[in-house]
Amino acid sequence: MLSLTLNGQRHCLNDLPAATTALSLLRGHLGACGTKEGCASGDCGACTIAIGTRNDRGELHYHSANACILPAHQLHGCHVLTVEGLARKESLHPVQQAMIEHHGSQCGFCTSGIVMSLFCLDNERRRLGMNGPPDDDTIDAALGGNLCRCTGYRAIRDAARAMHTLPRPTMDEPDDLPPASGAITNGFHHPESRHALIEILTQHPRARLIAGGTDLMLEHTLALKPLPELIDLSGVAELAHIDEQADGWWIGAGVTYHRLAPLLADHYPAFHALLERLGSLQIRHRATLAGNIANASPIGDTPPILMALGARLRLDGAQGMRELPIDDFFTGYRSTALNEGEYLDAVYLPRLQDREQLLAWKISKRRDDDISAVMLALRISMGEEGQLNDVRVACGGMAATPKRARHVEAALEGQVLNDETLDNACRALAEDFSPIDDVRASRDYRLAAVAGLLARARHRLTSRHDAIPMTLEEI
């Protein structure tokens, strides 16, 4: 049974198929039709909702999410707000009122999602005691996953700046729900421990694993493939930890990008800057690093960076735990080294050592909220005389899998990064990769683009020898 609170009212539902989306639940079962379906892929934000959970201090905290690709069963035990639940009798929420006063809506189709994204921004700022209007970067980050064809965004941004000045009705505090149980609900399995997860994997080898669902659910919503059995990782507490070690961190398979961001900002600025372009805030609230790896897409954003870092993976299953370098995980197009009954348990990020630098760039058709055409990531150590040591280079979008550029590494190792070295590294690209032509880019474009990124790396590495924080504008 699925039990949730929607806009202050408790609902209990039985017999929902495993792949039922939160959007289908809201519109088809609960009559909350203010939440719209635009793209069914988590790109447009028309379906944005606010999901509330309580922290250790009992405080209710809301985060935005795309209902179109969110498994409905993951809302069990949650407080859900949609646009219908913001007003109190005749009093609009200040986000709604600001959108009216600043003419932030025209056709209105995208408006409910925009309002919910701004509600989550307003809720978070008030929770943190932040007064005054949000700055432009904060507004852009909150709205990065909401597309609008009518208004041009200026009026919406004006509303975001003004919402804090308007009176707000008291929001009702919903009753608490029981925590999610480990019971099976019509093909949706919700284990609460590693042991239970392995048992279910053993009993249901054809079931698909799901964490945030931001990749997997597209098979259902766009490709219309059945997903009759799902094993949800979100209830396994052991997978939600970030465990610090002497020389790095183990990132559990249930850790979302949003939770991972502060660690990346402190220790891997280039990785953090890239994360700001890895989907929208709605996506980063749900998606996980492990999910991006296990999806095994050749254009996944994080595997090239993890290869450059020399990350390791921990796999678990009925036969016990084992570790392997991420270089050995991808065995072919959309295929991995996972055996039947195994799952990806955690990802190890090694610390950067003295004089080591990590650089990463992504090229896509849109700057924000788009998948890569190509990716380049480098980790190098600069010697006293400017020579490159311990070079690791990896690319995405250049082969059937994310892949190390071994010939490029050999051309750079031990060399000073001058014109001759750069030319040799660019020529070596053709030895490492033979990319295909597809809708995102041609073979020649991909080779030329990565060569251009190598030139950009040379500029950064030779303009200053100390680590320079990557900026979002560069990524």
Side-chain angles (χ1 to χ4, degrees):
M1 181 178 69
L2 168 62
S3 181
L4 75 155
T5 294
L6 172 63
N7 298 328
Q9 182 176 353
R10 182 173 296 189
H11 297 271
C12 297
L13 301 98
N14 291 307
D15 300 325
L16 290 177
T20 302
T21 65
L23 182 63
S24 297
L25 171 69
L26 293 171
R27 293 181 60 85
H29 296 268
L30 301 179
C33 295
T35 304
K36 307 300 184 183
E37 178 176 345
C39 64
S41 60
D43 283 336
C44 74
C47 67
T48 301
I49 59 175
I51 302 174
T53 54
R54 294 195 183 277
N55 61 20
D56 295 338
R57 297 185 297 276
E59 300 167 336
L60 192 60
H61 168 62
Y62 288 96
H63 70 266
S64 58
N66 297 117
C68 69
I69 54 173
L70 174 66
H73 292 284
Q74 287 189 340
L75 294 178
H76 183 71
C78 293
H79 309 280
V80 180
L81 280 178
T82 65
V83 68
E84 294 95 336
L86 298 187
R88 291 295 175 269
K89 296 182 179 180
E90 300 302 318
S91 299
L92 294 177
H93 190 277
V95 173
Q96 297 169 306
Q97 188 64 42
M99 286 284 285
I100 292 171
E101 293 182 2
H102 292 272
H103 308 286
S105 177
Q106 290 189 28
C107 82
F109 192 87
C110 66
T111 302
S112 57
I114 290 170
V115 166
M116 296 314 298
S117 288
L118 291 180
F119 164 79
C120 289
L121 172 62
D122 181 67
N123 178 262
E124 180 68 4
R125 288 175 61 81
R126 289 185 176 275
R127 186 180 71 85
L128 297 174
M130 302 174 71
N131 299 313
D135 60 31
D136 287 351
D137 288 342
T138 301
I139 295 171
D140 290 349
L143 295 175
N146 294 90
L147 302 181
C148 178
R149 293 180 179 270
C150 300
T151 68
Y153 301 103
R154 181 194 58 77
I156 299 170
R157 295 174 77 184
D158 289 345
R161 296 187 190 97
M163 61 188 180
H164 75 286
T165 65
L166 299 172
R168 64 193 48 251
T170 300
M171 300 293 289
D172 296 333
E173 191 78 357
D175 294 334
D176 280 332
L177 289 167
S181 68
I184 299 172
T185 306
N186 203 18
F188 193 89
H189 307 266
H190 190 84
E192 295 180 308
S193 67
R194 282 194 179 107
H195 177 73
L197 171 58
I198 293 170
E199 278 194 345
I200 293 173
L201 270 174
T202 302
Q203 297 167 6
H204 303 271
R206 295 182 179 273
R208 304 289 295 276
L209 293 170
I210 189 165
T214 56
D215 279 318
L216 178 60
M217 289 300 288
L218 301 186
E219 293 186 20
H220 178 66
T221 61
L222 296 184
L224 305 181
K225 294 181 180 179
L227 295 172
E229 282 196 295
L230 296 173
I231 303 175
D232 180 22
L233 303 182
S234 65
V236 182
E238 298 102 312
L239 303 184
H241 294 164
I242 298 176
D243 296 324
E244 184 172 4
Q245 308 289 311
D247 55 355
W249 297 266
W250 281 108
I251 312 300
V255 175
T256 65
Y257 288 133
H258 186 68
R259 280 192 56 211
L260 181 59
L263 185 150
L264 299 184
D266 288 342
H267 299 278
Y268 310 95
F271 200 166
H272 181 260
L274 180 88
L275 196 68
E276 297 297 306
R277 291 187 56 194
L278 199 159
S280 62
L281 192 58
Q282 292 96 315
I283 294 293
R284 296 195 298 273
H285 281 145
R286 308 297 299 181
T288 65
L289 182 63
N292 196 234
I293 298 167
N295 186 48
S297 170
I299 51 174
D301 285 341
T302 64
I305 301 181
L306 297 171
M307 287 180 164
L309 280 173
R312 302 198 310 274
L313 308 181
R314 185 169 67 208
L315 313 182
D316 197 8
Q319 303 304 313
M321 285 188 176
R322 63 187 179 106
E323 292 183 21
L324 77 166
I326 191 172
D327 298 359
D328 299 335
F329 184 70
F330 303 104
T331 57
Y333 178 73
R334 296 279 187 173
S335 62
T336 71
L338 283 168
N339 297 322
E340 185 174 292
E342 279 191 320
Y343 69 95
L344 175 52
D345 182 85
V347 183
Y348 189 75
L349 302 183
R351 293 180 189 270
L352 292 174
Q353 302 302 310
D354 291 343
R355 307 192 69 84
E356 282 188 339
Q357 296 187 49
L358 175 69
L359 306 177
W361 289 283
K362 167 182 176 174
I363 293 180
S364 56
K365 289 186 176 181
R366 296 194 307 263
R367 179 180 177 275
D368 294 312
D369 199 14
D370 197 11
I371 54 181
S372 298
V374 293
M375 269 279 304
L376 174 71
L378 307 91
R379 191 211 67 191
I380 58 93
S381 177
M382 295 285 287
E384 293 289 346
E385 303 301 322
Q387 72 274 18
L388 307 181
N389 301 316
D390 302 319
V391 178
R392 292 178 67 97
V393 181
C395 292
M398 297 289 284
T401 68
K403 184 181 173 184
R404 290 271 298 278
R406 305 279 185 175
H407 289 89
V408 174
E409 291 174 354
L412 296 175
E413 184 67 35
Q415 304 298 311
V416 174
L417 195 47
N418 52 29
D419 289 344
E420 181 181 359
T421 302
L422 179 62
D423 288 343
N424 291 338
C426 291
R427 282 194 296 270
L429 282 170
E431 299 180 66
D432 284 314
F433 303 107
S434 182
I436 63 171
D437 297 330
D438 64 16
V439 295
R440 295 183 187 88
S442 67
R443 174 188 184 277
D444 291 341
Y445 175 84
R446 285 185 161 102
L447 288 169
V450 175
L453 295 179
L454 286 172
R456 182 182 293 186
R458 178 206 176 180
H459 172 73
R460 283 191 58 84
L461 292 170
T462 57
S463 59
R464 287 176 58 187
H465 284 182
D466 55 326
I468 308 172
M470 300 290 287
T471 63
L472 182 57
E473 288 70 23
E474 281 191 277
I475 295 299

